[in-house]
């Protein structure tokens, strides 16, 4: 009930400032939900989105699985993963360090 009143007030302020509110770009989230805007997690300071970290971890695990079956991972895939880790490092150095260590360990076992 209060959120609906707040939305109306917010739209009014946006119009008063000369802008047009866009309902398709407006969303209401629960307090415990992760909020990602333009690829950056913003719900509790700036951070890399959990989804991005999880996807990168899955890519590293896929290299491990591929090596277990004898499949060789090409250099472009490894460079792509390193780029994703670098992106994560901008917002969450600790997570990036863990991912980097995991990737290096997997790559040592592959070669």
């Amino acid at each position: 009930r209060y959120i609906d009143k707040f939305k109306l007030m917010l739209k009014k302020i946006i119009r008063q400032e000369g802008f047009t509110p866009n309902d398709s770009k407006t969303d209401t989230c629960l307090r415990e939900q992760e909020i990602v805007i333009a690829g950056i997690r913003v719900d509790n300071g700036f951070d890399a989105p959990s989804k991005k970290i999880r996807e990168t971890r899955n890519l590293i695990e896929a290299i491990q699985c591929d090596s277990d079956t004898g499949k060789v991972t090409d250099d472009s895939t490894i460079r792509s993963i390193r780029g994703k880790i670098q992106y994560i490092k901008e917002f969450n150095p600790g997570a990036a360090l863990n991912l980097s260590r995991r990737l290096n360990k997997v790559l040592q076992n592959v070669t």
Side-chain angles (χ1 to χ4, degrees):
R1 179 176 90 181
Y2 296 110
I3 292 175
D4 291 335
K5 284 184 179 181
F6 178 72
K7 281 183 178 180
L8 290 173
M9 183 176 61
L10 188 59
K11 286 180 182 182
K12 182 178 177 182
I13 293 169
I14 291 170
R15 284 190 196 96
Q16 287 175 346
E17 294 299 319
F19 298 99
T20 304
N22 186 339
D23 289 333
S24 69
K25 294 183 177 182
T26 305
D27 197 9
T28 306
C29 300
L30 298 174
R31 186 172 296 180
E32 59 273 357
Q33 281 181 297
E34 185 173 286
I35 302 168
V36 178
I37 299 174
I40 301 169
R41 183 177 171 180
V42 296
D43 53 304
N44 192 17
F46 294 123
D47 197 354
S50 299
K51 182 178 179 182
K52 178 72 84 175
I53 294 170
R54 193 170 38 256
E55 287 173 353
T56 305
R57 187 181 315 114
N58 290 341
L59 290 170
I60 294 169
E61 290 172 7
I63 292 174
Q64 179 66 55
C65 292
D66 287 349
S67 71
D68 291 345
T69 61
K71 185 176 176 187
V72 177
T73 304
D74 60 9
D75 289 338
S76 65
T77 300
I78 294 169
R79 282 193 306 273
S80 174
I81 293 171
R82 289 193 192 282
K84 292 175 190 310
I85 293 171
Q86 188 63 36
Y87 170 81
I88 293 167
K89 183 179 179 182
E90 295 293 321
F91 304 102
N92 191 331
L97 181 61
N98 288 335
L99 290 167
S100 184
R101 286 178 178 163
R102 186 181 293 208
L103 177 62
N104 290 336
K105 185 176 180 182
V106 167
L107 292 176
Q108 285 175 352
N109 294 335
V110 170
T111 56

